[in-house]
Amino acid sequence: MSRFPVLRRRSLLLGAAASAALAACGGGSDGPGEGAPVWRMPAETEPQRAVMLASMDFDYKHGWSTLEVQATMIAALAQTTPVVYLVNGDADRERMRQALMAQSMAAEDIAERVEFKVVDHAELWIRDYGGVFLTDGCGHLRVVDFDFDGYGYNAFSGPYTNDAYNHDNDLAVRVAQAFGAESLRSPLVCEGGNLHFNGRGTVIAVLGDGTEGVGLLGRNQGWTAAQIEAELKRVFGVTKVIFLKRNMPTDAHTVMQTPYEMPGGEWAYNVGVTHIDEMVAWVDERTLLLPEVTDAELAAAVVAGDTVTQIAHDVLQEAYAILSAATDQDGRPLRLVRVPEPGPIVIQLTPDDEAWWMIEDMNQHPTHRLKGAERFANQEPVNYLLPASYMNYVVADGVVLVPRFYRPGRDAGLIEKDAAFAKIIQAQYPGRRVVQIGVDAVLAGGGGMHCITQQIPRASLV
């Protein structure tokens, strides 16, 4: 039996209240013309009304608490940015309240800084399918509602995975209703995590090469790159779209791209989604952070037989070449700041872990089969490559949350990389606190801190 009801897609939702509010600002038309609103996607560095997260009632790896990670994030955010936390009911609200008090957040501060909003949902990946917020600059919000195919896994997964994805298929519409905003429907299969905006008219995304289930081309069969670009321009009002060709190996499709052969001949699976927020991040309207695999790291990877690092090197060098030749919406060259690449971090999953069952479930495609499915049939432990990327960080008013990847037993080089990245962020975001957070519990589910947050812009002109 399905854990969640299956919901049907809805077309454009435009509530009467949202229409009236829009008309008061000079019209309710999407089209050009006098009085029509001008919608835009603000940069993440611009003032925010709040940061949104969503509750989760299970952990991807036994003993690794997603609730604790979220509470740590919220306690750091709430000092300078209000937080909206989506819950399914009182139990979710109370769990988070207790977790926040365990983070030494006083009850009165929770009441003042954290808004619990009841919005029906299954999982916590709010950036991806919970809607992308636009503003018209005069007090109104619009929520973009993309089509969703379970991150390209619908054709590969059975009910265990697809029930949750189907349940959250229209989450953006429910979020819009909860905020009294209109929602704009797009037929494009896309998630917010594969879109990075500079706030002035440029967006970057991973296009892919058309491989089934991978990238915008692979997941929008029948669309051309030009059609995808045109749809992004229509929806977001941007004038420049930059496409990167490939995803990071730590953000790979479980069936089509993994398992990887690791040093020693063992395999490592990944649950990736081909998103740009694993590769780059805007610092300002012309400056991008881009990871780098150094020559020394590449040489060591070749000797060790570390194919993941070798692939990461090639992907990032390709991205560097594309971005070095690219310009912004005004024709100005981009500035690139290279940052550390953490390298492969492999953990073990067992049948005690939800993530183990998530991978086991991905063997339903009529043609493309999960390699090593017999290991799951035999209930064996498997290796899992964490989607560790420093780019998956969160910018809010007054603070930047950055991931910390070192923990006892891991490569000691991560201590230096964690510190180096935090130092770079402090220099690039002067005036904001930098808070390092251990995010393993979220990584075990296939994403990072950026994936489980969504900024809600202040609905006024900047």
Side-chain angles (χ1 to χ4, degrees):
M1 180 179 293
S2 298
R3 293 185 299 168
F4 306 104
V6 176
L7 303 183
R8 296 180 179 177
R9 289 296 303 174
R10 288 176 236 175
S11 59
L12 173 67
L13 172 72
L14 183 58
S19 297
L22 184 59
C25 188
S29 170
D30 275 334
E34 186 176 356
V38 178
W39 296 96
R40 62 181 289 267
M41 177 66 193
E44 294 177 30
T45 52
E46 296 182 43
Q48 298 177 10
R49 167 180 166 181
V51 174
M52 182 170 64
L53 296 91
S55 64
M56 185 78 163
D57 63 1
F58 65 89
D59 297 322
Y60 289 103
K61 181 167 176 58
H62 181 71
W64 289 14
S65 172
T66 54
L67 180 69
E68 183 178 339
V69 173
Q70 286 188 317
T72 305
M73 294 170 61
I74 292 171
L77 287 166
Q79 294 182 38
T80 49
T81 307
V83 172
V84 173
Y85 191 66
L86 306 186
V87 298
N88 286 306
D90 292 340
D92 288 346
R93 180 187 294 107
E94 186 57 26
R95 274 194 295 267
M96 179 51 72
R97 278 178 42 82
Q98 294 299 322
L100 289 173
M101 287 190 284
Q103 293 291 325
S104 300
M105 195 169 178
E108 57 267 28
D109 292 333
I110 297 171
E112 180 180 350
R113 304 296 295 175
V114 181
E115 178 185 2
F116 295 96
K117 192 178 287 288
V118 177
V119 178
D120 185 37
H121 64 279
E123 294 201 37
L124 77 171
W125 308 106
I126 197 73
R127 179 169 301 273
D128 293 335
Y129 44 66
V132 181
F133 285 80
L134 309 181
T135 176
D136 65 353
C138 53
H140 310 128
L141 294 173
R142 166 182 282 181
V143 179
V144 176
D145 173 33
F146 287 115
D147 205 357
F148 184 55
D149 66 348
Y151 296 112
Y153 289 113
N154 277 358
F156 297 81
S157 299
Y160 180 84
T161 301
N162 285 341
D163 284 354
Y165 290 152
N166 287 333
H167 187 78
D168 282 343
N169 205 345
D170 283 306
L171 181 56
V173 176
R174 298 195 291 276
V175 167
Q177 291 173 323
F179 281 89
E182 66 169 281
S183 65
L184 175 65
R185 173 82 168 91
S186 171
L188 185 70
V189 177
C190 184
E191 294 90 40
N194 196 24
L195 302 169
H196 241 311
F197 299 86
N198 74 345
R200 295 298 179 265
T202 299
V203 62
I204 301 181
V206 180
L207 182 65
D209 60 3
T211 303
E212 186 170 3
V214 180
L216 288 173
L217 274 178
R219 293 171 56 198
N220 290 278
Q221 296 292 315
W223 290 60
T224 65
Q227 289 172 326
I228 293 172
E229 178 178 344
E231 178 65 0
L232 292 175
K233 288 179 176 179
R234 179 190 78 86
V235 170
F236 294 106
V238 295
T239 56
K240 182 64 177 285
V241 178
I242 300 173
F243 286 131
L244 299 185
K245 296 179 181 179
R246 290 191 285 168
N247 55 312
M248 292 292 287
T250 48
D251 188 29
H253 192 285
T254 307
V255 179
M256 299 301 294
Q257 296 177 299
T258 81
Y260 295 108
E261 186 169 337
M262 304 300 292
E266 189 50 81
W267 292 346
Y269 294 88
N270 184 239
V271 180
V273 293
T274 316
H275 279 179
I276 196 68
D277 63 4
E278 293 286 324
M279 291 187 67
V280 303
W282 291 102
V283 172
D284 57 40
E285 61 187 82
R286 291 180 60 194
T287 305
L288 282 166
L289 302 187
L290 177 70
E292 179 180 28
V293 174
T294 66
D295 291 342
E297 288 173 326
L298 177 61
V302 171
V303 171
D306 173 4
T307 58
V308 172
T309 297
Q310 294 176 60
I311 296 171
H313 172 270
D314 293 347
V315 169
L316 292 170
Q317 286 303 102
E318 179 182 80
Y320 179 79
I322 292 171
L323 295 172
S324 294
T327 59
D328 69 4
Q329 68 285 339
D330 298 317
R332 300 175 299 176
L334 306 179
R335 294 187 290 257
L336 300 179
V337 177
R338 305 307 295 269
V339 302
E341 161 62 20
I345 302 174
V346 178
I347 66 170
Q348 191 173 81
L349 298 177
T350 76
D352 290 333
D353 302 317
E354 288 285 330
W356 187 96
W357 290 101
M358 187 164 58
I359 298 172
E360 186 271 345
D361 196 43
M362 295 178 186
N363 197 31
Q364 310 300 317
H365 197 282
T367 304
H368 305 294
R369 309 301 291 178
L370 179 67
K371 186 177 180 181
E374 65 277 3
R375 300 186 179 196
F376 294 92
N378 295 331
Q379 304 275 292
E380 297 175 19
V382 297
N383 291 324
Y384 176 66
L385 180 65
L386 292 178
S389 171
Y390 288 113
M391 295 298 88
N392 209 293
Y393 64 90
V394 177
V395 180
D397 291 355
V399 66
V400 184
L401 308 183
V402 299
R404 182 182 63 248
F405 296 126
Y406 178 76
R407 63 190 297 170
R410 290 184 182 165
D411 183 356
L414 285 171
I415 300 175
E416 182 178 341
K417 288 184 176 182
D418 286 347
F421 182 69
K423 185 176 181 180
I424 290 171
I425 290 295
Q426 190 66 79
Q428 294 294 326
Y429 295 90
R432 285 179 166 93
R433 293 175 295 118
V434 176
V435 180
Q436 292 178 294
I437 295 178
V439 292
D440 283 1
V442 177
L443 299 179
M449 287 191 292
H450 193 255
C451 307
I452 66 170
T453 59
Q454 181 61 273
Q455 71 274 5
I456 305 170
R458 292 186 192 171
S460 59
L461 288 171
V462 177

